[in-house]
Amino acid sequence: MSVLMYEKVWLDKNVYNEAEKNYYESLNKSQITPLVVVGSSLASEVAKARQHIKNSLECMDSVASLTGVPNTEINSKLNKLVQENSELKKAMEELRKLVISLQARVDGLESTEAKPQQSASKVQAAKEEQESDDGVDLFGSDDEEESAEAVKLRDERLAAYNAKKAKKPVLIAKSNIILDVKPWDDETDMKAMEQAVRNISTDGLLWGAAKLVPLAFGIHKLQISCVVEDDKVSVDWLTEEIEKNEDFVQSVDIAAFNKV
């Protein structure tokens, strides 16, 4: 207690409280100042942003006003292009119609040219036939008083008709035949066999090319072609004549038969 008698702290408490109050107030002032500075800088940035947005909107308004103004030069060019396109379409349509009409005329001319030629040939043939048959009485006349002049004329026309009929070509039916002539074995003389076949000759028979075709085990067959007139030579007769060469020929087969 004697020590506390000399301590003055409690006696100057008001002084210490005032000093503490001043200290905390100074601390509060130092903390508020940066916040005020930051707030002012943010306000300035917001103001700048608002001004930039305002300027951008004014620029967009000016662009919109410019685009709203009609460009007479561009519109005139577009109208001109549209007109030229329509004119070209019209010209193409007229050309197409012209080509179709010309094609139809050409087809008509070709058909009319072909018909008169056919009709003219038919008329000429009928006229010649009529001239050849005109006045020809194949069964004779019942008129007993027929003059000699009429008989002579009739005979002349009949002779002319027969001569004309005889001059007409007669169609001859022919056939192209390929024959397979088989020998007895591989020792058969194929050249002699071919010569024996070609020695067969008759009216209406014409031999053609020949070749050897391998069969098996070294044996070859003779394949020979010929042209025959159907009315004069029969296939059965020809095969029989070939098979008569018994020293060479074993059998004869028909490989192909075509009408010529």
Side-chain angles (χ1 to χ4, degrees), residues 27-69:
L27 286 178
N28 290 332
K29 288 181 179 179
S30 63
Q31 291 178 357
I32 291 169
T33 303
L35 292 175
V36 173
V37 173
V38 171
S40 63
S41 63
L42 287 174
S44 63
E45 291 294 330
V46 169
K48 289 181 182 180
R50 287 180 178 177
Q51 187 63 31
H52 181 70
I53 293 171
K54 184 178 180 182
N55 294 334
S56 299
L57 291 174
E58 290 177 355
C59 182
M60 291 297 295
D61 292 338
S62 62
V63 171
S65 63
L66 288 175
T67 55
V69 177

Short mmCIF file of all heavy atoms in Angstrom, two decimals, residues 27-69:
data_model
loop_
_atom_site.label_atom_id
_atom_site.label_comp_id
_atom_site.label_asym_id
_atom_site.label_seq_id
_atom_site.Cartn_x
_atom_site.Cartn_y
_atom_site.Cartn_z
N LEU A 27 -7.05 7.28 -35.79
CA LEU A 27 -7.06 6.01 -36.54
C LEU A 27 -8.26 5.93 -37.47
O LEU A 27 -8.15 5.49 -38.63
CB LEU A 27 -7.08 4.82 -35.55
CG LEU A 27 -5.77 4.51 -34.82
CD1 LEU A 27 -5.98 3.34 -33.85
CD2 LEU A 27 -4.67 4.17 -35.81
N ASN A 28 -9.40 6.38 -37.01
CA ASN A 28 -10.61 6.33 -37.86
C ASN A 28 -10.48 7.26 -39.07
O ASN A 28 -10.90 6.93 -40.18
CB ASN A 28 -11.83 6.73 -37.03
CG ASN A 28 -12.20 5.66 -36.00
OD1 ASN A 28 -11.94 4.49 -36.21
ND2 ASN A 28 -12.81 6.08 -34.90
N LYS A 29 -9.87 8.41 -38.88
CA LYS A 29 -9.68 9.34 -40.01
C LYS A 29 -8.75 8.76 -41.06
O LYS A 29 -8.97 8.87 -42.26
CB LYS A 29 -9.13 10.67 -39.50
CG LYS A 29 -10.15 11.49 -38.72
CD LYS A 29 -9.53 12.81 -38.25
CE LYS A 29 -10.56 13.65 -37.48
NZ LYS A 29 -9.98 14.93 -36.99
N SER A 30 -7.71 8.11 -40.60
CA SER A 30 -6.76 7.51 -41.56
C SER A 30 -7.41 6.38 -42.36
O SER A 30 -7.08 6.12 -43.51
CB SER A 30 -5.52 7.00 -40.83
OG SER A 30 -5.89 5.98 -39.93
N GLN A 31 -8.38 5.66 -41.85
CA GLN A 31 -9.06 4.56 -42.56
C GLN A 31 -10.14 5.08 -43.51
O GLN A 31 -10.42 4.50 -44.54
CB GLN A 31 -9.69 3.59 -41.55
CG GLN A 31 -8.66 2.79 -40.78
CD GLN A 31 -9.28 1.87 -39.75
OE1 GLN A 31 -10.51 1.87 -39.59
NE2 GLN A 31 -8.44 1.13 -39.03
N ILE A 32 -10.77 6.19 -43.19
CA ILE A 32 -11.84 6.74 -44.03
C ILE A 32 -11.29 7.38 -45.28
O ILE A 32 -11.88 7.30 -46.36
CB ILE A 32 -12.67 7.74 -43.21
CG1 ILE A 32 -13.46 6.99 -42.15
CG2 ILE A 32 -13.62 8.53 -44.10
CD1 ILE A 32 -14.12 7.90 -41.12
N THR A 33 -10.15 7.97 -45.24
CA THR A 33 -9.57 8.72 -46.39
C THR A 33 -9.39 7.83 -47.61
O THR A 33 -9.82 8.17 -48.73
CB THR A 33 -8.24 9.37 -45.97
OG1 THR A 33 -8.48 10.22 -44.86
CG2 THR A 33 -7.67 10.16 -47.11
N PRO A 34 -8.81 6.64 -47.54
CA PRO A 34 -8.68 5.78 -48.74
C PRO A 34 -10.01 5.39 -49.31
O PRO A 34 -10.17 5.29 -50.52
CB PRO A 34 -7.93 4.55 -48.22
CG PRO A 34 -7.23 5.00 -47.00
CD PRO A 34 -8.08 6.04 -46.39
N LEU A 35 -11.03 5.16 -48.51
CA LEU A 35 -12.34 4.78 -49.03
C LEU A 35 -12.93 5.90 -49.84
O LEU A 35 -13.54 5.69 -50.89
CB LEU A 35 -13.27 4.42 -47.87
CG LEU A 35 -12.93 3.14 -47.11
CD1 LEU A 35 -13.85 2.97 -45.90
CD2 LEU A 35 -13.01 1.93 -48.01
N VAL A 36 -12.71 7.14 -49.35
CA VAL A 36 -13.23 8.29 -50.10
C VAL A 36 -12.54 8.42 -51.44
O VAL A 36 -13.17 8.67 -52.48
CB VAL A 36 -13.06 9.58 -49.26
CG1 VAL A 36 -13.43 10.79 -50.08
CG2 VAL A 36 -13.91 9.50 -48.01
N VAL A 37 -11.24 8.18 -51.45
CA VAL A 37 -10.47 8.27 -52.71
C VAL A 37 -10.94 7.21 -53.69
O VAL A 37 -11.16 7.45 -54.88
CB VAL A 37 -8.96 8.15 -52.42
CG1 VAL A 37 -8.19 8.05 -53.71
CG2 VAL A 37 -8.49 9.32 -51.59
N VAL A 38 -11.11 5.97 -53.19
CA VAL A 38 -11.58 4.88 -54.06
C VAL A 38 -12.95 5.18 -54.61
O VAL A 38 -13.27 4.97 -55.78
CB VAL A 38 -11.57 3.54 -53.28
CG1 VAL A 38 -12.25 2.45 -54.10
CG2 VAL A 38 -10.15 3.15 -52.93
N GLY A 39 -13.85 5.74 -53.74
CA GLY A 39 -15.19 6.06 -54.21
C GLY A 39 -15.16 7.11 -55.29
O GLY A 39 -15.91 7.02 -56.27
N SER A 40 -14.31 8.11 -55.14
CA SER A 40 -14.23 9.15 -56.17
C SER A 40 -13.71 8.61 -57.49
O SER A 40 -14.19 8.98 -58.57
CB SER A 40 -13.35 10.30 -55.66
OG SER A 40 -12.02 9.83 -55.45
N SER A 41 -12.70 7.72 -57.43
CA SER A 41 -12.17 7.12 -58.68
C SER A 41 -13.22 6.27 -59.37
O SER A 41 -13.36 6.28 -60.59
CB SER A 41 -10.93 6.30 -58.37
OG SER A 41 -11.26 5.21 -57.52
N LEU A 42 -14.01 5.50 -58.63
CA LEU A 42 -15.08 4.69 -59.22
C LEU A 42 -16.14 5.57 -59.87
O LEU A 42 -16.66 5.26 -60.95
CB LEU A 42 -15.72 3.80 -58.15
CG LEU A 42 -14.89 2.61 -57.67
CD1 LEU A 42 -15.60 1.91 -56.50
CD2 LEU A 42 -14.67 1.63 -58.81
N ALA A 43 -16.45 6.67 -59.22
CA ALA A 43 -17.45 7.57 -59.79
C ALA A 43 -16.98 8.15 -61.11
O ALA A 43 -17.75 8.27 -62.08
CB ALA A 43 -17.75 8.70 -58.78
N SER A 44 -15.67 8.49 -61.13
CA SER A 44 -15.13 9.04 -62.39
C SER A 44 -15.17 7.98 -63.50
O SER A 44 -15.49 8.27 -64.66
CB SER A 44 -13.71 9.55 -62.18
OG SER A 44 -12.86 8.47 -61.80
N GLU A 45 -14.84 6.71 -63.18
CA GLU A 45 -14.86 5.65 -64.18
C GLU A 45 -16.28 5.40 -64.68
O GLU A 45 -16.52 5.19 -65.87
CB GLU A 45 -14.29 4.34 -63.59
CG GLU A 45 -12.81 4.39 -63.31
CD GLU A 45 -11.99 4.52 -64.58
OE1 GLU A 45 -12.46 4.03 -65.64
OE2 GLU A 45 -10.91 5.11 -64.52
N VAL A 46 -17.25 5.45 -63.77
CA VAL A 46 -18.65 5.26 -64.17
C VAL A 46 -19.09 6.38 -65.08
O VAL A 46 -19.79 6.19 -66.08
CB VAL A 46 -19.54 5.16 -62.92
CG1 VAL A 46 -21.01 5.24 -63.31
CG2 VAL A 46 -19.26 3.89 -62.16
N ALA A 47 -18.66 7.61 -64.76
CA ALA A 47 -19.01 8.76 -65.62
C ALA A 47 -18.42 8.61 -67.00
O ALA A 47 -19.07 8.88 -68.03
CB ALA A 47 -18.53 10.04 -64.94
N LYS A 48 -17.14 8.16 -67.06
CA LYS A 48 -16.52 7.94 -68.38
C LYS A 48 -17.26 6.87 -69.17
O LYS A 48 -17.47 7.00 -70.38
CB LYS A 48 -15.06 7.52 -68.18
CG LYS A 48 -14.16 8.63 -67.70
CD LYS A 48 -12.73 8.13 -67.55
CE LYS A 48 -11.81 9.23 -67.03
NZ LYS A 48 -10.41 8.74 -66.87
N ALA A 49 -17.67 5.78 -68.49
CA ALA A 49 -18.39 4.71 -69.19
C ALA A 49 -19.72 5.20 -69.72
O ALA A 49 -20.12 4.87 -70.85
CB ALA A 49 -18.60 3.53 -68.24
N ARG A 50 -20.41 6.00 -68.93
CA ARG A 50 -21.69 6.55 -69.39
C ARG A 50 -21.50 7.45 -70.60
O ARG A 50 -22.27 7.40 -71.55
CB ARG A 50 -22.34 7.33 -68.24
CG ARG A 50 -22.90 6.45 -67.14
CD ARG A 50 -23.52 7.30 -66.05
NE ARG A 50 -24.11 6.46 -65.01
CZ ARG A 50 -24.67 6.95 -63.90
NH1 ARG A 50 -24.71 8.28 -63.69
NH2 ARG A 50 -25.18 6.13 -63.00
N GLN A 51 -20.44 8.27 -70.57
CA GLN A 51 -20.17 9.14 -71.71
C GLN A 51 -19.84 8.34 -72.97
O GLN A 51 -20.28 8.66 -74.08
CB GLN A 51 -19.00 10.09 -71.36
CG GLN A 51 -18.74 11.16 -72.41
CD GLN A 51 -19.90 12.11 -72.57
OE1 GLN A 51 -20.63 12.38 -71.61
NE2 GLN A 51 -20.09 12.62 -73.78
N HIS A 52 -19.08 7.24 -72.81
CA HIS A 52 -18.73 6.38 -73.95
C HIS A 52 -19.97 5.72 -74.55
O HIS A 52 -20.14 5.65 -75.77
CB HIS A 52 -17.73 5.31 -73.50
CG HIS A 52 -17.30 4.40 -74.60
ND1 HIS A 52 -16.50 4.81 -75.65
CD2 HIS A 52 -17.56 3.09 -74.82
CE1 HIS A 52 -16.28 3.81 -76.46
NE2 HIS A 52 -16.92 2.74 -75.98
N ILE A 53 -20.87 5.27 -73.67
CA ILE A 53 -22.11 4.65 -74.15
C ILE A 53 -22.96 5.68 -74.89
O ILE A 53 -23.55 5.40 -75.93
CB ILE A 53 -22.88 4.03 -72.97
CG1 ILE A 53 -22.10 2.83 -72.41
CG2 ILE A 53 -24.27 3.61 -73.39
CD1 ILE A 53 -22.65 2.29 -71.12
N LYS A 54 -22.98 6.89 -74.34
CA LYS A 54 -23.77 7.95 -74.99
C LYS A 54 -23.22 8.27 -76.37
O LYS A 54 -23.98 8.41 -77.35
CB LYS A 54 -23.75 9.19 -74.09
CG LYS A 54 -24.61 10.33 -74.61
CD LYS A 54 -24.58 11.50 -73.64
CE LYS A 54 -25.45 12.64 -74.15
NZ LYS A 54 -25.39 13.81 -73.24
N ASN A 55 -21.88 8.36 -76.47
CA ASN A 55 -21.26 8.63 -77.77
C ASN A 55 -21.56 7.50 -78.77
O ASN A 55 -21.81 7.73 -79.94
CB ASN A 55 -19.76 8.81 -77.61
CG ASN A 55 -19.41 10.05 -76.80
OD1 ASN A 55 -20.20 11.01 -76.76
ND2 ASN A 55 -18.24 10.05 -76.15
N SER A 56 -21.50 6.24 -78.29
CA SER A 56 -21.77 5.10 -79.17
C SER A 56 -23.20 5.12 -79.68
O SER A 56 -23.48 4.86 -80.85
CB SER A 56 -21.51 3.79 -78.44
OG SER A 56 -20.17 3.71 -78.04
N LEU A 57 -24.14 5.47 -78.80
CA LEU A 57 -25.54 5.54 -79.21
C LEU A 57 -25.76 6.64 -80.23
O LEU A 57 -26.51 6.48 -81.20
CB LEU A 57 -26.43 5.76 -77.98
CG LEU A 57 -26.52 4.58 -77.01
CD1 LEU A 57 -27.31 4.98 -75.77
CD2 LEU A 57 -27.17 3.38 -77.69
N GLU A 58 -25.08 7.79 -80.03
CA GLU A 58 -25.21 8.87 -81.01
C GLU A 58 -24.65 8.45 -82.37
O GLU A 58 -25.22 8.76 -83.42
CB GLU A 58 -24.48 10.11 -80.48
CG GLU A 58 -25.17 10.76 -79.29
CD GLU A 58 -24.38 11.95 -78.76
OE1 GLU A 58 -23.26 12.15 -79.28
OE2 GLU A 58 -24.88 12.63 -77.84
N CYS A 59 -23.53 7.71 -82.36
CA CYS A 59 -22.94 7.23 -83.62
C CYS A 59 -23.87 6.25 -84.33
O CYS A 59 -24.05 6.31 -85.54
CB CYS A 59 -21.59 6.58 -83.33
SG CYS A 59 -20.75 6.00 -84.81
N MET A 60 -24.50 5.35 -83.55
CA MET A 60 -25.44 4.40 -84.15
C MET A 60 -26.64 5.11 -84.74
O MET A 60 -27.16 4.74 -85.80
CB MET A 60 -25.90 3.39 -83.09
CG MET A 60 -24.80 2.43 -82.65
SD MET A 60 -24.20 1.40 -83.96
CE MET A 60 -25.64 0.45 -84.31
N ASP A 61 -27.10 6.18 -84.05
CA ASP A 61 -28.23 6.95 -84.58
C ASP A 61 -27.86 7.61 -85.90
O ASP A 61 -28.66 7.63 -86.86
CB ASP A 61 -28.66 8.00 -83.56
CG ASP A 61 -29.27 7.37 -82.31
OD1 ASP A 61 -29.74 6.21 -82.43
OD2 ASP A 61 -29.25 8.03 -81.25
N SER A 62 -26.62 8.10 -85.99
CA SER A 62 -26.20 8.73 -87.25
C SER A 62 -26.09 7.72 -88.38
O SER A 62 -26.48 7.97 -89.51
CB SER A 62 -24.85 9.44 -87.04
OG SER A 62 -23.85 8.49 -86.69
N VAL A 63 -25.58 6.49 -88.06
CA VAL A 63 -25.49 5.44 -89.09
C VAL A 63 -26.87 5.01 -89.56
O VAL A 63 -27.14 4.81 -90.74
CB VAL A 63 -24.70 4.23 -88.54
CG1 VAL A 63 -24.80 3.06 -89.51
CG2 VAL A 63 -23.26 4.61 -88.31
N ALA A 64 -27.80 4.88 -88.59
CA ALA A 64 -29.16 4.48 -88.95
C ALA A 64 -29.82 5.52 -89.84
O ALA A 64 -30.53 5.22 -90.79
CB ALA A 64 -29.98 4.25 -87.69
N SER A 65 -29.53 6.79 -89.50
CA SER A 65 -30.12 7.85 -90.34
C SER A 65 -29.54 7.85 -91.74
O SER A 65 -30.24 8.10 -92.73
CB SER A 65 -29.89 9.21 -89.66
OG SER A 65 -28.49 9.47 -89.57
N LEU A 66 -28.22 7.50 -91.85
CA LEU A 66 -27.61 7.43 -93.18
C LEU A 66 -28.16 6.27 -93.99
O LEU A 66 -28.40 6.38 -95.19
CB LEU A 66 -26.08 7.30 -93.04
CG LEU A 66 -25.34 8.55 -92.57
CD1 LEU A 66 -23.86 8.24 -92.34
CD2 LEU A 66 -25.50 9.69 -93.58
N THR A 67 -28.33 5.11 -93.37
CA THR A 67 -28.85 3.95 -94.10
C THR A 67 -30.28 4.15 -94.53
O THR A 67 -30.76 3.56 -95.49
CB THR A 67 -28.76 2.69 -93.23
OG1 THR A 67 -29.44 2.93 -92.00
CG2 THR A 67 -27.32 2.32 -92.95
N GLY A 68 -31.00 4.97 -93.83
CA GLY A 68 -32.39 5.22 -94.20
C GLY A 68 -32.52 6.07 -95.44
O GLY A 68 -33.57 6.12 -96.08
N VAL A 69 -31.44 6.72 -95.84
CA VAL A 69 -31.50 7.57 -97.04
C VAL A 69 -31.44 6.69 -98.27
O VAL A 69 -30.52 5.87 -98.42
CB VAL A 69 -30.33 8.58 -97.03
CG1 VAL A 69 -30.36 9.41 -98.30
CG2 VAL A 69 -30.43 9.47 -95.81
#
